[in-house]
Amino acid sequence: MNLGILAHVDAGKTTLTERLLYAAGVIDTVGTVDAGTTRTDTLALERQRGITIKSAVVSFEIAGTTVNLIDTPGHPDFIAEVERVLSLLDGAVLVISAVEGVQPQTRVLMRALRRLRVPTLLFVNKIDRGGADPGRVLDAIRGRLTAAIIPMGTADEPGARDARFRPYGFDDPTFRTGLTEALAERNDSLLAAYVENESAVTDGRLRGELAAQTRRSSVHPVFLGSAITGEGVAALMTGLAELLPAEAGDPEGTVSGRIFKIDRGPAGEKIAYVRMFAGTVQIRQRLPVETTTGGEAEAKATGISVPERGGWVRRPHLVAGEIGRLWGLSGVRIGDTIGRPPPSGGQWHFAPPTMETVVAPVRPENDGALRGALARLAEQDPLINVRADDTGREISVSLYGEVQKEVIGATLATEFGIDVTFRETTIICVERPVGRGEAVEVLNTGSNPFRATIGLRVEPGPQDSGIEFRVGVAPQSMPMYVYRNADTFTDHMAQYVRRTLCEGRFGWQVTDCVVTMIDCSYSVPDGPPSRRGPLSTPADFRDLTPLVLMRAVEQAGTVVCEPMLRVSLEIPVWAISAVLTALGRLGAAVRHQSLRGDLTTIEVVAPAARVPDLQRRLPGLTGGEGVLEATLDGYRPVRGEFTTRPRTTVDPRNRERYLLSLTRQGARE
């Protein structure tokens, strides 16, 4: 069973992980976050700050079932790390504090779990803390998370040091009636049997139906306890074994796995964390790898380890259903697929970051070390998208929020010994073509230094359609002797086009366009005069594409567009007036408003540049009760002035400098 532990910051999920390991006999003493002795917070920065930044995997056994427990970050700036884990889980435990109750990130996480239909148990923690009120928290869960909960017991003396969890039994008539009615709402046959003869519904049938509906994510059993004292943890462990699914998958099937984390070993070797959905991986087995960019590669696993009783042990194979670490996959990145793509449940749903900042070393002599350190961080989180301008002097990273920026800075200082400064965070824009443009470079002409003919047309595509590449030339004009077939040639040309369009006229990615190849030719030693010459190579097509494409983009023209976010605000009813006033000042357009109990949901569309200000103001406007969820809603033309982004590559429009850069690159190679 691959199990996730999730919670709002400080609800106690890492402490619960420690208590589960202790109860399972994996560790002799329970580590604490304050002392920095927990098993899953291994980074120095995690122990220093008392928060989880990177997901960690640890294993234990319950009633003969091996549980791979994944501890995840709780801060919203690391939601991408959480999302990567959610898609891999068989089940989850959502931890909620009995004192603070349902907090903003709790609601975000529960919505994600329900969207992905991850079977989830709830654990109301800290019943021994002053101010604990499990009854109030259960009411908040019903009102703010889901009404489909089944309390599995009650707390005696909540708020006292000796608070106890008292599980309900099936001989308790009140619990039995409530459980039967809740389950019968979602099972017609059970409802009919209950109406016909209530006493004929056996304990065994109720237990089986509770497990079945929990595994379908139709209901969510709720346990109470204290991770610090261990109270209620035994009942939770029983619930994990009896109520959540534990399916191994088909070890004889075609290999299918996904890489969800990258780490480095003591000698700097790359270690890939993989969740296997089907098949078996053996040491020294060659594995097909499908990259996140659509490319294909092959890699050989030179080492395998699996989590076992709190540590990792070497093993000759990794089978379906397991999580393991693979050595030898030097070229892989987070998100790459091993073998065939996993089922749809393995897909990720988070949007890319919409902010970026320039990072620079405090001491100039650390510039080279900074680049290497950022490359390592990009392996662990590819969404930070490290990029340097074409002068090589400025380095930018993409961000989800300011806390992530602080963590990057602290990581560089503590892990790599590099002190850095950051510029003010800015928004990542895109460019869209506004017209149609064409350009052609013909083989064996004075203006074309490459052994290829390429003609490209650029025109606007549908909104939010990305980049579509089409081939409008006959197959016989393509260099099949190099690319093997028309599909391979088309795939490579599409890669060259997308690589070029990473930076348009103003330095931003060009998107929502259709690029069509309208001319193509290559040279051969025994060809006609117009095509005669040294044999064309892939480098000719790769290096000529930017020259032609950027001329076509220049002719078409582009407009800079800023990201717009679809923002869902969940706020107390009493705060509506203040929040609507703030939204109006920020230029947000209200799309929808609904009321449920003491909460109202407001859906708006706002410029991404304004949303951080709204996030900062929301706690004050709502007494700390406001929840903000934002997803990308597309892009719109920037109103007023916009910033031209420094290019990371030499602009092909500057022909002489571009050709010189290729000459220097060839000399280096």
Side-chain angles (χ1 to χ4, degrees), residues 407-645:
V407 167
I408 290 173
T411 301
L412 290 170
T414 57
E415 302 279 329
F416 299 95
I418 305 170
D419 294 321
V420 298
T421 60
F422 294 96
R423 284 194 198 163
E424 183 179 358
T425 302
T426 57
I427 297 300
I428 300 174
C429 297
V430 300
E431 297 180 43
R432 284 185 176 138
V434 294
R436 176 172 169 167
E438 293 184 359
V440 179
E441 284 281 359
V442 179
L443 174 70
N444 291 339
T445 57
S447 63
N448 183 1
F450 302 102
R451 298 190 294 274
T453 292
I454 294 179
L456 296 171
R457 179 172 63 238
V458 176
E459 51 196 331
Q463 186 169 321
D464 301 325
S465 62
I467 300 168
E468 181 182 355
F469 178 70
R470 300 173 181 171
V471 174
V473 298
Q476 56 265 30
S477 66
M478 304 177 190
M480 300 298 189
Y481 66 92
V482 173
Y483 292 99
R484 296 194 304 277
N485 56 58
D487 289 340
T488 304
F489 175 70
T490 300
D491 290 344
H492 279 80
M493 282 300 303
Q495 290 180 28
Y496 306 154
V497 165
R498 288 188 171 88
R499 189 181 305 157
T500 301
L501 293 181
C502 284
E503 294 176 328
R505 301 165 65 224
F506 303 102
W508 303 102
Q509 180 187 8
V510 180
T511 188
D512 297 345
C513 62
V514 178
V515 179
T516 305
M517 191 170 203
I518 57 176
D519 201 352
C520 179
S521 186
Y522 58 95
S523 69
V524 290
D526 56 350
S530 62
R531 294 178 53 202
R532 191 173 301 157
L535 205 61
S536 300
T537 69
D540 292 306
F541 286 88
R542 180 193 66 209
D543 296 338
L544 181 57
T545 297
L547 276 175
V548 178
L549 185 54
M550 286 308 297
R551 275 175 45 207
V553 169
E554 190 78 25
Q555 187 182 110
T558 59
V559 60
V560 176
C561 301
E562 64 179 334
M564 302 295 292
L565 298 183
R566 184 170 63 254
V567 180
S568 176
L569 295 165
E570 195 174 73
I571 61 173
V573 171
W574 59 263
I576 292 177
S577 178
V579 171
L580 288 176
T581 300
L583 291 172
R585 290 173 179 167
L586 293 173
V590 177
R591 291 274 184 88
H592 180 71
Q593 188 173 336
S594 61
L595 186 67
R596 190 182 74 175
D598 61 345
L599 292 176
T600 187
T601 299
I602 303 174
E603 294 183 2
V604 303
V605 174
R610 302 292 186 88
V611 173
D613 186 32
L614 178 61
Q615 286 178 312
R616 286 190 292 269
R617 298 183 59 188
L618 191 62
L621 294 171
T622 62
E625 288 294 312
V627 173
L628 183 153
E629 273 192 282
T631 56
L632 190 63
D633 192 60
Y635 293 81
R636 75 171 185 196
V638 174
R639 297 171 183 173
E641 296 184 0
F642 60 84
T643 302
T644 298
R645 190 190 204 188

Side-chain angles (χ1 to χ4, degrees), residues 176-207:
R176 184 184 178 87
T177 299
L179 174 64
T180 306
E181 291 176 351
L183 297 176
E185 285 182 14
R186 299 163 180 84
N187 185 316
D188 291 341
S189 64
L190 178 62
L191 176 61
Y194 178 61
V195 170
E196 182 178 344
N197 183 1
E198 179 179 347
S199 61
V201 179
T202 65
D203 291 355
R205 182 168 184 179
L206 287 178
R207 291 179 189 276

